[in-house]
Amino acid sequence: MLYLKITTIGEVAFENHMKLEEGYRYDIPFDNLMLPYIPIADILKNEGMIPKDVKIGFAHPDGYQGLCLMVSELIKNRPNIVGLIKKQFTNDRAENEGGMRIRSIKPGKRFFARMLIPQDQQDELEKIISGRKRIGITSPGITGEVMLQLVDDIHILNEEYELSPLAHYASLDYTVTLLSPACFYAPYEDGKKTYLHIPGAVISEFVHRHVTNDDTGESENIRCTNAYITDGAKRLLPVPSCVSVVKLDKRQLRYRLAPGKDPRRTEQDLGLSHAFASDFESNLIKYTTPLTEHIALTNGEMFDALSPGQTFSGRIYGSDHMIRRIAGHIKHNPYAFMGKLTEEGYGEAVLSVTGADEEEIPAELPAKIFDVCCVSDTLLLNDDGVPSYKAEDLLKEIEYVLNCPGRLMIEGCYTYIYSDYSENPGWGKDGAVVRCMGKGSVLRIRTTDGEPIDIFPIMSCFVGERTEYGYGELLSYPARGKYYRLAEKMPVSLYDRKHLLSFRDISMGADFAREVIRSALKSRIQALAMTDSREAEDGVLTEDLIPQELFSAMKEMLMPDTPEELMKTWYLEALEGK
């Protein structure tokens, strides 16, 4: 992968738009960690400078992965330090006229944007960017002067899961961390609202396009689950439709499928150990809602997008040969552009392999009553070949998988209908609407003869149509007859994964954190000087004003290795108005 290196020679700023702050005539965009970026694809595309099939991501500061790691820790521990993070990159001043402000990137800053370029277009793009000397606006004090260069791949340490040469794998676990806002939406959706997950069809398209040859049909048996947001360890699956919020505490969930509940005693049993199998607890009791944001294209169109910094997790099922090919590709080509608006620089993501499993050895799991949850939207066809969303048709599919026609009955169900406008195959292809059983739909099923049945085949399986694109994923668990609280809503974790870091990134992140903390110490010392300036004007000797004890206390709290002479210099400079 090539990178576009942008070095600011003069100050750089852009016309304000929705992503930037109010009160600024000229500004620059920041990500959710308050690190600046340059929407270089937007700039070059609007001027017809990007050849066909070239994708360029946002240009982030040099050492971005390391900066994310350190800045997230800084913000977590010192929320009031955000302004100092911005100041490391930007100048911020009042406009001479009009009562507005101007913020710009300082000269001498380096940014890198990842690029996907067909080999036959590389020379053309290199000629285009080599002649480009300015970006953004020009205004008094802001020249927009830059140097653009194509550079080779930056070496990274990819902490990939190692596959064993002796194993025979059947599935691969992966994560997708978004580096820029990403749009995954169904055609005709009002307001172009994004899905709150990465559809399996998107992952399947990635595999077909980059790993396999579509013409050979070698990837026909690949099945890609939806990638849902992760807590860092597991994929957080959709909350079942039968879960409701307890009125006394909006963070708490409860499962209301079981019959015979006393509505006057909603809190009588809170333990989970009797409610579900342990695996159910590890997957479904934790939940969160991914962060989204509005993005505005230069043509004025508005879209919802998943916010960057979030990590999503999914699984790919296939042959041992295909699992190894996919893992190898991700290891050597971890970056990708996914979803809609990739030509605008959106949808940049980094993939990582987190595990691989061999085919499970069947182990009988008898149950008289069990719950089945749709982990993804499920497209069923009835006997007439028409899309169906009825629970009875899902029951027929379950009986087919368990090879027990007529032995099951629905004791309770909570379902909803999802209207699907996309025709996947060919992600994003507009087609006629079909009605699916929505993800989170739950059935409680009982055997008609009261005898247990082995539910192992549907503990984790796919049913219905489009299963290769993530549809029809089911999970099943032995049921219990009581009514229990499930979980607390979890906060979204941003940039928590420590992967794809070079030693250079780690070093730059550490240096940046030190510089920010040093700036915090300097600003506090300068504030002390401003407080003491009146006494200095009244003739008090400078040596008598220096608050040595406060210097020592602040130094120990922020940066213990700061030389006291340097702190004294900062104080005196501020006292003298330099």
Side-chain angles (χ1 to χ4, degrees), residues 30-325:
F30 293 87
D31 65 12
N32 43 24
L33 286 178
M34 297 302 111
L35 293 171
Y37 65 88
I38 298 174
I40 192 65
D42 236 5
I43 296 167
L44 299 182
K45 181 187 174 186
N46 289 339
E47 300 181 11
M49 296 182 67
I50 299 183
K52 184 182 177 182
D53 298 330
V54 172
K55 296 187 185 300
I56 306 178
F58 290 165
H60 293 289
D62 190 10
Y64 182 65
Q65 294 288 336
L67 297 185
C68 286
L69 180 65
M70 299 306 299
V71 168
S72 58
E73 290 298 316
L74 284 175
I75 293 176
K76 187 186 302 181
N77 297 320
R78 297 184 175 89
N80 60 347
I81 213 163
V82 167
L84 292 175
I85 293 173
K86 289 184 174 182
K87 285 182 179 179
Q88 298 302 312
F89 296 98
T90 63
N91 290 323
D92 192 333
R93 57 184 178 273
E95 197 178 35
N96 292 331
E97 298 178 2
M100 302 285 280
R101 297 191 68 81
I102 296 173
R103 181 159 43 201
S104 59
I105 301 174
K106 296 176 179 178
K109 299 299 180 181
R110 290 180 299 184
F111 291 74
F112 288 86
R114 295 180 184 88
M115 309 182 72
L116 293 178
I117 311 172
Q119 190 67 37
D120 59 350
Q121 295 183 2
Q122 185 171 324
D123 292 341
E124 180 185 354
L125 184 62
E126 196 157 11
K127 289 178 183 177
I128 290 172
I129 67 170
S130 62
R132 185 65 185 260
K133 302 299 181 184
R134 297 179 187 275
I135 60 174
I137 59 97
T138 55
S139 179
I142 300 177
T143 65
E145 188 178 359
V146 295
M147 181 171 63
L148 304 181
Q149 298 171 285
L150 284 183
V151 297
D152 290 332
D153 198 2
I154 299 174
H155 293 291
I156 55 177
L157 295 178
N158 195 352
E159 298 178 2
E160 289 291 339
Y161 183 88
E162 291 294 331
L163 301 183
S164 169
L166 303 177
H168 186 82
Y169 294 108
S171 65
L172 184 76
D173 294 318
Y174 66 91
T175 60
V176 179
T177 301
L178 300 179
L179 300 180
S180 66
C183 300
F184 306 101
Y185 63 88
Y188 314 123
E189 190 73 36
D190 291 339
K192 295 187 173 62
K193 290 187 177 296
T194 182
Y195 293 127
L196 297 181
H197 62 275
I198 301 176
V202 172
I203 305 303
S204 178
E205 181 193 38
F206 169 80
V207 172
H208 281 258
R209 179 176 296 179
H210 300 289
V211 184
T212 69
N213 185 339
D214 286 336
D215 296 332
T216 66
E218 62 180 332
S219 59
E220 287 181 358
N221 295 322
I222 290 292
R223 284 180 173 173
C224 302
T225 69
N226 292 339
Y228 295 112
I229 195 164
T230 176
D231 64 353
K234 288 185 177 291
R235 182 170 65 138
L236 300 185
L237 301 176
V239 174
S241 300
C242 52
V243 167
S244 62
V245 175
V246 175
K247 293 180 181 179
L248 296 178
D249 187 345
K250 292 183 178 180
R251 297 174 302 169
Q252 297 294 322
L253 296 179
R254 59 187 183 185
Y255 195 87
R256 59 178 178 179
L257 190 60
K261 179 190 71 69
D262 182 352
R264 295 167 298 177
R265 301 180 61 206
T266 59
E267 307 297 326
Q268 66 253 37
D269 284 306
L270 302 182
L272 280 165
S273 59
H274 302 293
F276 301 105
S278 60
D279 190 55
F280 186 94
E281 297 174 29
S282 66
N283 284 285
L284 287 185
I285 66 165
K286 295 180 180 179
Y287 81 104
T288 189
T289 302
L291 298 177
T292 61
E293 59 188 60
H294 294 296
I295 58 176
L297 303 189
T298 51
N299 63 6
E301 279 194 276
M302 296 293 302
F303 292 83
D304 280 350
L306 291 172
S307 296
Q310 302 178 102
T311 299
F312 296 78
S313 177
R315 176 172 288 187
I316 300 172
Y317 294 90
S319 66
D320 179 77
H321 170 67
M322 286 306 306
I323 293 300
R324 292 181 186 277
R325 283 194 62 182

Side-chain angles (χ1 to χ4, degrees), residues 373-388:
C373 183
C374 295
V375 180
S376 64
D377 301 318
T378 301
L379 177 56
L380 304 172
L381 299 181
N382 61 20
D383 294 338
D384 298 322
V386 178
S388 172

Side-chain angles (χ1 to χ4, degrees), residues 78 517 521 524 548-562 564 567:
R78 297 184 175 89
I517 294 174
L521 178 59
R524 292 190 182 187
Q548 199 65 47
E549 291 184 1
L550 286 177
F551 281 6
S552 299
M554 288 190 292
K555 181 178 79 167
E556 289 302 315
M557 182 175 62
L558 292 174
M559 188 174 282
D561 59 350
T562 307
E564 292 193 5
M567 292 190 292

